[in-house]
Amino acid sequence: MIRRPPRSTRKESSAASMCIRDRIKNESKSISNISKFKNKYLLELISKKLFSAFYNHKPFKLINFASIKRYMKDYIIIGAGQSGLAIAYHLNKKNANYLIIDANSEAGAPWLKRWDSLKLFTPSEFNSLPGMKFPYKKGHYANKYEVADYLKAYVFKFNIHIEFNHKITSLKKENGHFILESESKKFEAKNVIIATGPFHIPYTPPCHRKISKNTLQMHSNYYKGVEQLQEGD
């Protein structure tokens, strides 16, 4: 014979259930963030906390996602240039848990910072990244805008995961994994791939001091067009 629990116990159980439902309803915004992260560890953690709260008739405190700063990745790639995107393409094919971190605001941004008349010195047939043909006819020498547009399209086509506006200022290894830091966020990864490329800091050789001050000197990093140059003889 199955006996019903005492009325007081049923009331406590009902009250605990209502408490959980109310908390979830009131903080539904936090719960909705689960779908954004799609993180198996976080989903498991929330499930356990929900079950524990219901079983023990204890109030359930939802996780504040805004306070979570780091997510463990299998791979983090520093740099969203051609090399970083090509690596991400192959990691995508393996369904790897990865992320690209880049200091710029969008894909192709470094190309747009170059001088206005810049063109590639390789024709279109040699400019393709894995899985996507460079979209210009054979023998065409693309300008910087065409290259930047191609990189943006590449990111969109393969749904490459990138966090922009994070310049990594610290990289160290602790407890068998890597910790990366920008000015506003920390990241964790089991493996780190550095694909930043060279020539980030303009270098002017010391011999420039021997040139007359009447002669305009300008590093190519700051050159945009002929209108910046002084009149010649």
Side-chain angles (χ1 to χ4, degrees):
M1 178 178 174
I2 300 174
R3 294 189 177 186
R4 298 180 66 185
R7 184 176 298 275
S8 59
T9 303
R10 294 203 305 271
K11 287 182 178 180
E12 290 174 2
S13 177
S14 177
S17 300
M18 291 179 66
C19 176
I20 294 170
R21 287 196 298 268
D22 289 343
R23 292 299 302 278
I24 292 174
K25 183 177 180 181
N26 292 337
E27 301 188 45
S28 59
K29 186 177 181 180
S30 295
I31 284 290
S32 68
N33 285 335
I34 298 172
S35 61
K36 296 179 183 178
F37 294 114
K38 296 181 180 178
N39 187 297
K40 183 179 178 182
Y41 169 75
L42 290 177
L43 289 173
E44 276 185 11
L45 180 61
I46 291 167
S47 298
K48 289 177 181 177
K49 287 174 74 70
L50 276 169
F51 179 80
S52 175
F54 181 80
Y55 185 81
N56 297 308
H57 304 165
K58 293 180 179 179
F60 169 57
K61 184 176 181 180
L62 290 176
I63 293 172
N64 180 7
F65 284 88
S67 67
I68 297 176
K69 299 296 183 182
R70 298 183 290 187
Y71 302 97
M72 176 70 75
K73 298 291 182 181
D74 290 333
Y75 300 90
I76 281 184
I77 304 165
I78 305 176
Q82 296 92 289
S83 296
L85 296 181
I87 295 167
Y89 168 83
H90 289 289
L91 291 176
N92 258 343
K93 292 186 71 174
K94 294 179 178 294
N95 294 317
N97 178 26
Y98 77 91
L99 176 68
I100 296 181
I101 303 173
D102 194 88
N104 295 286
S105 59
E106 61 179 346
W111 287 93
L112 299 177
K113 295 176 183 177
R114 302 290 186 175
W115 57 92
D116 295 339
S117 60
L118 181 145
K119 287 193 174 184
L120 298 183
F121 54 77
T122 52
S124 292
E125 57 267 33
F126 301 109
N127 297 332
S128 299
L129 292 180
M132 181 173 167
K133 186 178 179 181
F134 198 75
Y136 296 96
K137 65 180 182 180
K138 184 177 180 179
H140 175 72
Y141 290 86
N143 61 42
K144 67 176 186 177
Y145 303 103
E146 292 168 332
V147 176
D149 287 344
Y150 172 72
L151 297 179
K152 291 187 183 75
Y154 193 85
V155 169
F156 179 79
K157 179 176 180 178
F158 297 112
N159 190 28
I160 293 175
H161 312 147
I162 306 176
E163 280 210 31
F164 290 109
N165 300 308
H166 285 289
K167 183 177 181 179
I168 297 301
T169 56
S170 173
L171 170 61
K172 57 187 175 182
K173 192 171 186 180
E174 290 184 0
N175 300 320
H177 66 274
F178 294 94
I179 297 177
L180 305 86
E181 296 186 33
S182 69
E183 290 184 356
S184 59
K185 194 170 182 179
K186 290 185 179 181
F187 305 86
E188 293 185 4
K190 298 175 183 177
N191 303 278
V192 173
I193 302 168
I194 299 176
T196 55
F199 313 127
H200 291 281
I201 301 175
Y203 172 74
T204 302
C207 63
H208 79 279
R209 300 187 187 94
K210 299 180 180 180
I211 300 174
S212 170
K213 292 182 178 180
N214 295 326
T215 302
L216 176 66
Q217 297 184 59
M218 184 184 302
H219 194 283
S220 60
N221 190 68
Y222 308 112
Y223 174 74
K224 296 298 180 184
V226 294
E227 64 277 359
Q228 293 173 272
L229 305 179
Q230 63 187 21
E231 294 292 331
D233 295 332

